[in-house]
Amino acid sequence: MYALPAALDILSVGYRLVRGSLKRRLDEAAPLEVQQRISRYAHGALGAHDVRTRRAGQVTFIECHLVVPGEMPVEVTHRICEALKDSLRRVFQGSLVTIHVEPESKANPQGIVVR
Ligand SMILES: [Zn+2]
């Protein structure tokens, strides 16, 4: 009588555990090529951190925090971001790149750091 709900519950917990660990692994594993591109093409930036990639179907989502001098003009920062996005999109066709810009004084790395 109680076997089916218990079995479904175990399956559900198992599914969530596996899904959670896979998702974490994908979120944390920024391919070396992404890191190399960031350090090569983010000219003028001081570095990047919290580099993450995630695949969903055909799309690769790439995220990073870009650290720039606090006094850097928005025009210049924007140019750096565009160059970096273009470079990443050339390698990872169809990727969606999100860059969070922050001044050096607010940088607080939580993940992969690129210099
Ligand atoms: Zn940050």
Side-chain angles (χ1 to χ4, degrees):
M1 203 59 149
Y2 299 106
L4 185 59
L8 287 177
D9 194 42
I10 288 166
L11 280 177
S12 162
V13 169
Y15 171 76
R16 275 180 278 149
L17 282 174
V18 170
R19 190 169 148 255
S21 82
L22 276 178
K23 187 176 180 308
R24 264 194 307 281
R25 195 174 311 151
L26 290 175
D27 280 349
E28 287 166 9
L32 197 58
E33 184 147 29
V34 171
Q35 298 179 48
Q36 288 169 340
R37 288 251 151 192
I38 289 172
S39 69
R40 202 177 309 150
Y41 288 91
H43 294 298
L46 300 171
H49 57 258
D50 298 16
V51 183
R52 294 188 182 97
T53 60
R54 186 164 21 97
R55 278 194 70 87
Q58 302 284 40
V59 181
T60 301
F61 294 88
I62 303 172
E63 299 172 13
C64 74
H65 292 196
L66 192 70
V67 182
V68 298
E71 66 280 1
M72 180 177 274
V74 174
E75 289 275 349
V76 178
T77 307
H78 182 256
R79 205 177 310 135
I80 294 170
C81 289
E82 290 300 300
L84 182 54
K85 280 183 186 178
D86 287 348
S87 161
L88 290 169
R89 285 192 201 121
R90 273 199 298 278
V91 180
F92 302 93
Q93 306 235 329
S95 62
L96 291 175
V97 183
T98 305
I99 303 172
H100 169 79
V101 175
E102 56 195 23
E104 188 178 16
S105 62
K106 301 292 181 190
N108 180 23
Q110 307 285 312
I112 292 171
V113 176
V114 178
R115 292 187 203 287

